[in-house]
Amino acid sequence: MEPRWLDDLERWFDTYTGQFFGQDEYVNMHLRLKQEHTRRTREEVLYLAGRLALDDNQTRIAETVALLHDIGRFPQFATYRTFNDGRSVNHCSLGVEVLCRERVLETLSLEERQWIETAIAYHGRKSLPAGLEGPALLFLKLIRDADKLDIYRIVADVYRRQAEDPTGFSFEIELPDEPRITPAVLDAVLTGRLIEHTSLQTLNDFRLCQIGWVYDINFTASLERLKIGGWLNELFGYLPQNDQTDRVRERIFRYVESRLTTMP
């Protein structure tokens, strides 16, 4: 992959995403959020690539994946006014469709194109697909970690702003903001299992699900970034403060520390 190719790709990204903005400020706000998320995810990928000592071409491929990983979000939200894949369309599959239709990757080698498309297609799955290996698995792990790191920052900001102005804050939050936590969700986090989104019933369930993403972080450098950011502590602050959440907090932070001390 030629270094200048990323410059052309960035110009394409700006042009493509810009066409979905219009008179609806609610839609525009969410699309701007995704543009900003893409930029920060790209920065996270570059940081991780440096920590993993990837070569120049590997780094450019990882950066390409970061730039394109959420390209399907733009037509998704403009059409359906939601980022909920279950209520609209799978944004990962749609992203690959967009890239094929727009012939964005056609100048790359077949191998590079397959790595990029695989990472985009699977980056939103609950867990890594079985049987994937080599560079395809590396780039998928990189985007999944970088994506989660910035989403942690985003959701912490969203919950903070919602708490500060619960009536004036306008953002897509679809689950009821109730104090209860679904027992099955609590049990999954306590036992180190990832959670199906279909089992979430309250906003607190969703927060616990996000906290439980730590079980799906791949690299030590990612866990270090997560710890330094303080986002787990902040998310715990929006949960009911009781014995149940104390148990979860202890379990999660014990898990993070064990990973940090044992992973290379």
Side-chain angles (χ1 to χ4, degrees), residues 16 28 79 88 114 143 145 206 221 251 263:
Y16 179 78
N28 292 344
T79 302
S88 56
Q114 288 175 337
I143 190 57
D145 275 19
F206 191 47
R251 170 73 170 87
M263 289 175 64

Side-chain angles (χ1 to χ4, degrees), residues 105-123:
L105 306 176
E106 67 174 3
T107 60
L108 302 181
S109 70
L110 177 61
E111 194 173 48
E112 290 174 335
R113 190 162 65 245
Q114 288 175 337
W115 293 336
I116 294 166
E117 290 177 352
T118 297
I120 293 169
Y122 290 105
H123 84 272

Side-chain angles (χ1 to χ4, degrees), residues 37-50:
H37 165 65
T38 297
R39 175 181 56 78
R40 289 190 302 266
T41 301
R42 189 176 176 183
E43 292 170 356
E44 293 291 351
V45 157
L46 287 174
Y47 171 81
L48 294 176

Side-chain angles (χ1 to χ4, degrees), residues 8 112 123 199 253:
D8 295 336
E112 290 174 335
H123 84 272
S199 66
F253 284 105

Side-chain angles (χ1 to χ4, degrees), residues 239-257:
L239 291 172
Q241 303 303 298
N242 54 39
D243 290 343
Q244 287 183 325
T245 53
D246 285 346
R247 287 170 58 209
V248 175
R249 183 192 298 269
E250 181 183 359
R251 170 73 170 87
I252 289 292
F253 284 105
R254 187 170 65 244
Y255 173 82
V256 170
E257 290 303 320

Side-chain angles (χ1 to χ4, degrees), residues 44-133:
E44 293 291 351
V45 157
L46 287 174
Y47 171 81
L48 294 176
R51 286 289 302 273
L52 296 171
L54 300 189
D55 65 34
D56 289 345
N57 196 58
Q58 288 175 317
T59 300
R60 286 192 290 270
I61 293 171
E63 191 175 359
T64 296
V65 171
L67 183 59
L68 298 176
H69 80 285
D70 265 354
I71 199 67
R73 288 297 196 192
F74 295 90
Q76 178 193 42
F77 203 91
T79 302
Y80 300 99
R81 292 173 62 87
T82 183
F83 288 135
N84 186 320
D85 287 9
R87 291 179 45 229
S88 56
V89 64
N90 184 295
H91 78 281
C92 304
S93 300
L94 180 57
V96 175
E97 290 175 17
V98 168
L99 298 179
C100 292
R101 184 171 62 248
E102 298 280 327
R103 304 173 71 180
V104 175
L105 306 176
E106 67 174 3
T107 60
L108 302 181
S109 70
L110 177 61
E111 194 173 48
E112 290 174 335
R113 190 162 65 245
Q114 288 175 337
W115 293 336
I116 294 166
E117 290 177 352
T118 297
I120 293 169
Y122 290 105
H123 84 272
R125 293 276 187 99
K126 186 181 78 168
S127 56
L128 292 168
L132 204 61
E133 57 186 11

Side-chain angles (χ1 to χ4, degrees), residues 144-162:
R144 285 172 68 90
D145 275 19
D147 194 27
K148 284 183 177 67
L149 286 172
D150 190 59
I151 292 175
Y152 272 121
R153 189 207 62 79
I154 290 172
V155 297
D157 181 64
V158 166
Y159 297 145
R160 189 183 316 122
R161 292 165 64 189
Q162 183 195 28

Side-chain angles (χ1 to χ4, degrees), residues 162-181:
Q162 183 195 28
E164 292 169 353
D165 186 11
T167 58
F169 182 63
S170 175
F171 193 79
E172 183 193 20
I173 297 177
E174 299 178 336
L175 293 169
D177 191 1
E178 301 174 357
R180 66 186 177 92
I181 294 173

